[in-house]
Amino acid sequence: MTVFLVGAGPGDPGLITARGRELIRACDVLVHDRLIADELVAEAPADAIRVGRERLGQDQISRLLVLYGRRGLDVVRLKGGDPFVFGRGGEEVLALAEAGVPFEVVPGVSSISAVPASAGIPITHRGVSSQVTIVSGHDPDALDWKALACTPGTIVFFMALGALGEIVARLVEHGRDPTMPAAVVASGTSADQRTVTASLAGIAHAAEQLAPPALVVIGEVVRISALLGSRCEMIPVHA
Ligand SMILES: C[S@@+](CC[C@H](N)C(=O)[O-])C[C@H]1O[C@@H](n2cnc3c(N)ncnc32)[C@H](O)[C@@H]1O
């Protein structure tokens, strides 16, 4: 009787951990995010209760986890990527801890590195980038643009597709080099993966046709994908 916060990985169902898959196969209740691969949801026992996250708000989800946990059921809360990277996993475990419900966090492969990797982009590279800054693009007004524009190394923006034009404008306005390479990787590691690369100044236009989920990578490491070209056996392991 535990609530397990399980990271499902970035999209490809083959990228969940062995422990995560084992827990799904044995659960009484599966509460999953909207973007979780159908193949993973189908791994739960036929008689397990399945709850799709999109029907509920965050507070309702936390209450539901507490409710099922208190009933003594094994609950898997399946979240995209890693539960503790922009996943609101912290809020859920705080609610469980406060309610005295036992829980365990099972980390997942986060899109932070897996999605760029699936496009042949290492987010660090010796002599090129020894620092990565991870940013949510959800609320551009909340960010320190002066600091971001001059931060060295690679910048990875989550949830940034809708505000990409504004993000680029603010970075350039505060001094980031507009000719610096950038990439947008949409639906990384899935069969629908699409990648565009351009200069920072041109990336919003280049990404116009892409749909979420998407990750934006800004920095010299983007050039490495072009060097790899077709010689790269990239990560996607889907057929
Ligand atoms: C709410 S955050 C969840 C992040 C997740 N916890 C993780 O560790 O990857 C959702 C954002 O993650 C990024 N993302 C997640 N999966 C992705 C994928 N397969 N391809 C591109 N971006 C992805 C997108 O920026 C998306 O808007």
Side-chain angles (χ1 to χ4, degrees):
M1 51 154 296
T2 303
V3 176
F4 299 93
L5 257 74
V6 176
D12 183 331
L15 293 176
I16 191 170
T17 62
R19 173 140 180 80
R21 189 181 293 272
E22 186 182 288
L23 288 166
I24 293 173
R25 286 180 176 162
C27 73
D28 301 307
V29 182
L30 178 68
V31 182
H32 63 89
D33 280 351
R34 188 171 56 88
L35 291 175
I36 299 297
D38 293 342
E39 291 94 322
L40 290 180
V41 175
E43 295 254 359
D47 59 350
I49 300 166
R50 289 171 170 75
V51 182
R53 161 74 171 82
E54 72 269 26
R55 281 179 266 151
L56 301 168
Q58 186 59 49
D59 288 347
Q60 288 171 300
I61 282 284
S62 295
R63 280 202 293 275
L64 199 67
L65 297 179
V66 168
L67 185 88
Y68 283 129
R70 278 188 174 149
R71 282 192 198 162
L73 300 171
D74 278 335
V75 182
V76 168
R77 170 72 175 107
L78 190 59
K79 301 171 82 72
D82 182 275
F84 278 6
V85 178
F86 292 132
R88 305 190 75 168
E91 292 165 54
E92 293 174 14
V93 294
L94 280 171
L96 291 164
E98 203 173 301
V101 174
F103 64 87
E104 181 185 323
V105 180
V106 181
V109 175
S110 175
S111 59
I112 170 67
S113 55
V115 165
S118 70
I121 303 169
I123 55 172
T124 65
H125 192 77
R126 191 161 61 91
V128 176
S129 171
S130 56
Q131 180 175 321
V132 182
T133 304
I134 307 168
V135 190
S136 165
H138 180 66
D139 180 9
D141 287 336
L143 299 174
D144 180 347
W145 291 101
K146 200 172 161 204
L148 270 180
C150 66
T151 194
T154 311
I155 307 182
V156 180
F157 275 95
F158 283 68
M159 299 167 276
L161 203 53
L164 191 50
E166 182 181 355
I167 287 168
V168 169
R170 294 225 196 171
L171 284 173
V172 172
E173 180 192 329
H174 287 85
R176 196 94 184 172
D177 177 1
T179 67
M180 175 168 275
V184 178
V185 187
S187 300
T189 79
S190 81
D192 300 325
Q193 174 169 325
R194 285 190 64 196
T195 305
V196 296
T197 57
S199 64
L200 177 59
I203 195 65
H205 177 65
E208 263 172 12
Q209 303 302 318
L210 300 189
L215 213 66
V216 180
V217 185
I218 299 169
E220 292 299 328
V221 288
V222 170
R223 292 192 201 283
I224 292 165
S225 62
L227 298 176
L228 293 172
S230 58
R231 285 169 293 172
C232 179
E233 264 302 303
M234 289 177 198
I235 274 186
V237 289
H238 51 73

